[in-house]
């Protein structure tokens, strides 16, 4: 073997070893903290069970927080960071209605007492999302862990990444696709709207002056007329603050009723009813509505795991924050 060929072989071996064993290329896995903080998930569950027993309305916001974290910069806990100039993700209009930051801090405090400097805030957000789902009678799935925390949080990055309530199907597909998530994933994950509430400001444009012609009775024709009237009784023109159940009658129970509502043109947001404008997502909605969510719980766990892998920092990238609201 020539000297040049021998050198090439050795170089390739070195690159292979560097790639495989470099901690930056570490992957997420179930049980990442089994040796470094074996009770990590039990500690999270204990805190969340306590919270849910007195404040069950926080389930929706805490689940939503994981979505909003992963869709901007990946699942790196950047949505939790504060900014002295109010330029962080949490300061952006789409995130100003997020709630539950104090619960994440409470979980972090409990974990720091047990295992200082070990469990990331990004992983806490992911585990909490699973635990509030279970607490509202939803599915359980194994959460992959090993994420590390990002050091950057930028308000402007929310606008082109998060999915607005007024999004059409083209935007929904594009935003999910940009994160490596399929149309089916979109239909599954939007099913999380089965729990929680929304401010009237997120859908008032569907009730009044929908076409922009200055006619207050001009409502979105894609919205069931009886449902329009019910919503108008709760949300007057210009109402920004009143809250409405996203899944009327069972907004504190994680179930498949969302799909029944969407199939009857009673999805609260335009992004909900948009699922009927694509053959794949429409078929999924109709299947779950007809079978009372026969595969929804299983599908939700699968899609949440996929979303939880988006843009993660692992190995030596990022950091493990001591406090979730600020970098070390």
């Amino acid at each position: 073997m020539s000297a040049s060929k021998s050198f090439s072989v050795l170089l390739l071996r070195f690159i292979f070893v560097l790639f495989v064993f470099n901690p930056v290329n570490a992957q997420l896995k179930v049980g990442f903290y089994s040796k470094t903080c074996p009770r990590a998930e039990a500690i999270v569950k204990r805190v969340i069970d306590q919270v849910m027993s007195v404040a069950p309305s926080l389930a929706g916001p805490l689940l939503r927080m994981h979505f909003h974290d992963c869709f901007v910069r990946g699942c790196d806990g950047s949505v939790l960071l504060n900014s002295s100039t109010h330029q962080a993700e949490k300061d952006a209009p789409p995130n100003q209605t997020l709630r539950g930051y104090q619960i994440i801090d409470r979980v972090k405090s409990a974990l720091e007492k047990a295992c200082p400097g070990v469990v990331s805030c990004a992983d806490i957000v992911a585990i909490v999302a699973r635990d509030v789902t279970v607490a509202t009678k939803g599915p359980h799935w194994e959460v992959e862990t090993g994420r590390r925390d990002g050091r950057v949080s930028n308000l402007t990055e929310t606008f082109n990444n998060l999915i607005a309530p007024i999004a059409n199907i083209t935007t929904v597909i594009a935003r999910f696709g940009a994160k490596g998530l399929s149309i089916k994933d979109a239909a599954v994950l939007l099913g999380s709207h089965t729990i929680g509430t929304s401010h009237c400001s997120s859908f008032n444009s569907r009730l009044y002056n929908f076409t922009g012609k200055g006619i207050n009775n001009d409502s979105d024709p894609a919205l069931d007329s009886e449902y329009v009237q019910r919503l108008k009784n709760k949300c007057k023109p210009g109402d920004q603050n009143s809250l409405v159940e996203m899944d009327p009658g069972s907004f504190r129970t994680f179930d498949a009723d969302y799909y029944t509502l969407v199939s009857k043109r009673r999805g609260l947001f335009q992004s909900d009813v948009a699922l009927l404008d694509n053959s794949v997502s429409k078929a999924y909605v109709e299947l779950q509505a007809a079978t009372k969510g026969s595969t929804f719980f299983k599908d939700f766990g699968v899609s949440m795991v996929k979303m939880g892998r988006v843009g993660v920092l692992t190995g030596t990238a990022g950091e493990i924050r001591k406090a979730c609201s600020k970098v070390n």
Side-chain angles (χ1 to χ4, degrees), residues 6-17:
S6 297
F7 176 77
S8 297
V9 171
L10 286 171
L11 182 62
L12 286 172
R13 287 177 178 173
F14 175 73
I15 291 171
F16 174 78
V17 170

Side-chain angles (χ1 to χ4, degrees), residues 10-210:
L10 286 171
L11 182 62
L12 286 172
R13 287 177 178 173
F14 175 73
I15 291 171
F16 174 78
V17 170
L18 199 65
F19 178 80
V20 172
F21 295 104
N22 185 347
V24 172
N25 295 313
Q27 298 296 309
L28 301 182
K29 67 177 183 178
V30 173
F32 180 84
Y33 299 110
S34 59
K35 294 181 180 179
T36 55
C37 191
R39 286 189 47 76
E41 292 194 32
I43 291 170
V44 177
K45 184 179 185 302
R46 186 189 72 223
V47 175
I48 293 304
D49 284 348
Q50 292 170 350
V51 171
M52 290 296 101
S53 68
V54 295
S57 64
L58 283 174
L62 286 167
L63 176 55
R64 182 179 167 217
M65 188 178 290
H66 188 34
F67 282 75
H68 284 228
D69 185 34
C70 292
F71 269 72
V72 183
R73 286 191 165 265
C75 313
D76 68 345
S78 55
V79 73
L80 305 172
L81 288 172
N82 289 336
S83 164
S84 59
T85 57
H86 306 292
Q87 294 298 308
E89 289 173 32
K90 64 166 57 173
D91 300 305
N95 285 333
Q96 287 177 359
T97 55
L98 281 181
R99 296 185 296 130
Y101 294 109
Q102 77 280 15
I103 307 306
I104 301 299
D105 291 339
R106 185 169 159 184
V107 172
K108 178 64 170 173
S109 178
L111 286 167
E112 285 297 300
K113 288 180 181 178
C115 316
V118 174
V119 182
S120 70
C121 298
D123 275 345
I124 290 172
V125 171
I127 298 169
V128 166
R130 188 270 311 277
D131 287 353
V132 296
T133 301
V134 172
T136 52
K137 301 181 180 180
H140 179 281
W141 63 92
E142 296 293 338
V143 177
E144 294 178 339
T145 45
R147 299 169 190 80
R148 288 171 64 85
D149 298 320
R151 298 186 176 97
V152 177
S153 186
N154 191 325
L155 177 154
T156 60
E157 293 179 345
T158 64
F159 299 112
N160 293 323
N161 286 286
L162 295 178
I163 298 163
I166 61 171
N168 60 26
I169 191 61
T170 301
T171 301
V172 169
I173 292 172
R175 295 282 166 93
F176 274 88
K179 309 304 174 188
L181 299 170
S182 68
I183 299 173
K184 179 183 177 181
D185 290 322
V188 171
L189 293 172
L190 284 177
S192 63
H193 289 170
T194 183
I195 58 172
T197 57
S198 170
H199 288 85
C200 293
S201 56
S202 295
F203 58 87
N204 244 359
S205 62
R206 301 188 73 193
L207 308 180
Y208 305 102
N209 192 25
F210 180 70

Side-chain angles (χ1 to χ4, degrees), residues 169 173 183 274-286:
I169 191 61
I173 292 172
I183 299 173
L275 294 176
L276 299 177
D277 294 332
N278 173 272
S279 60
V280 174
S281 54
K282 181 180 181 180
Y284 189 82
V285 168
E286 292 176 341

Side-chain angles (χ1 to χ4, degrees), residues 190-243:
L190 284 177
S192 63
H193 289 170
T194 183
I195 58 172
T197 57
S198 170
H199 288 85
C200 293
S201 56
S202 295
F203 58 87
N204 244 359
S205 62
R206 301 188 73 193
L207 308 180
Y208 305 102
N209 192 25
F210 180 70
T211 58
K213 297 178 180 178
I215 306 171
N216 259 348
N217 289 327
D218 184 13
S219 303
D220 183 355
L223 197 56
D224 175 74
S225 59
E226 288 186 15
Y227 191 40
V228 167
Q229 193 53 54
R230 288 188 195 177
L231 292 174
K232 283 185 174 181
N233 291 338
K234 296 183 178 182
C235 300
K236 303 306 178 185
D239 187 342
Q240 300 290 307
N241 300 316
S242 296
L243 290 172

